[in-house]
């Protein structure tokens, strides 16, 4: 059992001058963007056990390529179990049923079972090295476009600048719409998707997304 004093609030790690908090590999095939922080085990023993805050350390926005998914699920419960499960189902290379199970606990680490993956939380720019960008939910989209609209970050790609124009235009020739009730709006390598929840992101939508990635030509999948 992990003690509460071993936990740090990951929101304290966010540095608005950078692209949010990152977990996963440095050069991902797929970058996921989420709006909410998980609790994480503190990497520093200098933790105030009464207030559960880190003492005298700088914000850490560096990539962590040795992510302990099991521990994160233990700390954060079923909500984050669902998030990592859907990420694993999207990125696992083997398409046989249940192959994602062995991949899930390595989904953010370098491995042979799936695509190289990174997770960005409260990002204010897209990952320059990623081949596919999956923006998960309205809040994650708003986080990115806020910086674009306010002119606070000029590194956003031209494709992202077009998102506001095409999200409502399902008949646009530059947009591929995946799904029926739950939809993914795909513009080249940038995809606006539902939040990573079973009801919003069912297996049928995952299958359509996997097919799109395979056919996109951006990744050898």
């Amino acid at each position: 059992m992990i003690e509460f004093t071993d936990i740090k609030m990951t929101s304290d790690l966010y540095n608005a001058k950078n692209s949010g908090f990152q977990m996963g590999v440095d050069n991902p095939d797929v970058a996921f963007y989420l709006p909410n922080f998980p609790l994480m085990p503190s990497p520093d023993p200098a933790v105030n056990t009464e207030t559960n805050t880190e003492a005298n350390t700088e914000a850490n926005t560096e990539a962590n390529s040795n992510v302990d998914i099991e521990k994160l699920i233990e700390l954060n419960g079923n909500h984050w179990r669902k998030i990592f499960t859907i990420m694993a189902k999207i990125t696992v290379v083997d398409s046989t049923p249940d192959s994602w199970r062995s991949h899930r606990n390595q989904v953010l680490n370098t491995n042979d079972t799936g695509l190289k993956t990174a997770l960005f939380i409260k990002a204010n720019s897209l990952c320059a090295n990623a081949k596919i960008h999956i923006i998960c939910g309205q809040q994650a989209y708003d986080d990115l476009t806020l910086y674009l609209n306010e002119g606070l970050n000029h590194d956003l790609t031209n494709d992202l600048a077009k998102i506001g124009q095409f999200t409502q235009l399902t008949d646009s020739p530059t947009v591929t719409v995946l799904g029926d009730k739950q939809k993914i709006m795909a513009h080249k390598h940038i995809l606006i998707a539902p939040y990573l929840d079973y009801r919003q992101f069912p297996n049928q939508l995952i299958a359509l997304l996997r097919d799109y990635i395979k056919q996109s030509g951006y990744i050898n999948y």
Side-chain angles (χ1 to χ4, degrees):
M1 177 65 66
I2 299 172
E3 298 295 331
F4 183 74
T5 53
D6 294 329
I7 302 170
K8 75 184 303 178
M9 293 299 296
T10 318
S11 54
D12 293 337
L13 300 176
Y14 176 59
N15 185 341
K17 295 181 180 179
N18 297 309
S19 57
F21 179 68
Q22 176 183 352
M23 291 187 286
V25 301
D26 284 319
N27 297 291
D29 294 320
V30 180
F32 290 88
Y33 300 85
L34 284 173
N36 55 310
F37 295 97
L39 293 172
M40 292 188 69
S42 174
D44 195 312
V47 175
N48 185 316
T49 58
E50 292 183 0
T51 62
N52 190 38
T53 55
E54 186 179 15
N56 300 321
T57 57
E58 297 180 354
N60 174 18
T61 57
E62 299 294 328
N64 182 352
S65 59
N66 294 296
V67 182
D68 191 334
I69 300 293
E70 288 183 285
K71 187 172 290 186
L72 285 173
I73 291 173
E74 182 180 349
L75 287 173
N76 294 277
N78 196 48
H79 175 71
W80 276 85
R81 183 191 304 276
K82 293 176 182 179
I83 289 173
F84 290 127
T85 294
I86 295 172
M87 289 174 61
K89 288 182 177 181
I90 292 170
T91 60
V92 66
V93 173
D94 189 347
S95 59
T96 58
D98 293 337
S99 58
W100 60 268
R101 295 182 183 277
S102 59
H103 174 56
R104 185 182 66 190
N105 288 346
Q106 297 299 322
V107 68
L108 291 175
N109 300 320
T110 302
N111 63 80
D112 297 325
T113 58
L115 300 174
K116 293 184 295 182
T117 303
L119 172 61
F120 294 85
I121 300 171
K122 288 291 183 184
N124 56 33
S125 64
L126 295 177
C127 173
N129 300 324
K131 298 175 182 177
I132 296 285
H133 304 273
I134 302 177
I135 303 169
C136 304
Q138 182 67 43
Q139 186 58 55
Y141 166 76
D142 288 345
D143 288 339
L144 287 163
T145 56
L146 171 67
Y147 287 89
L148 176 68
N149 294 335
E150 294 187 358
L152 298 179
N153 190 309
H154 300 289
D155 295 329
L156 294 174
T157 66
N158 290 331
D159 284 336
L160 182 60
K162 298 174 184 177
I163 285 179
Q165 302 173 19
F166 72 68
T167 49
Q168 303 301 322
L169 302 176
T170 57
D171 59 346
S172 169
T174 66
V175 177
T176 300
V177 182
L178 309 177
D180 184 14
K181 185 176 180 180
Q182 292 86 15
K183 293 183 174 67
I184 294 174
M185 309 293 287
H187 176 63
K188 301 179 181 178
H189 63 306
I190 299 176
L191 299 93
I192 304 174
Y195 189 76
L196 300 183
D197 176 81
Y198 292 160
R199 288 179 293 181
Q200 299 181 58
F201 219 127
N203 287 332
Q204 296 91 331
L205 191 60
I206 291 172
L208 291 172
L209 175 55
R210 285 175 58 85
D211 287 342
Y212 178 87
I213 294 174
K214 289 177 182 178
Q215 296 170 17
S216 69
Y218 291 105
I219 299 174
N220 293 323
Y221 188 21

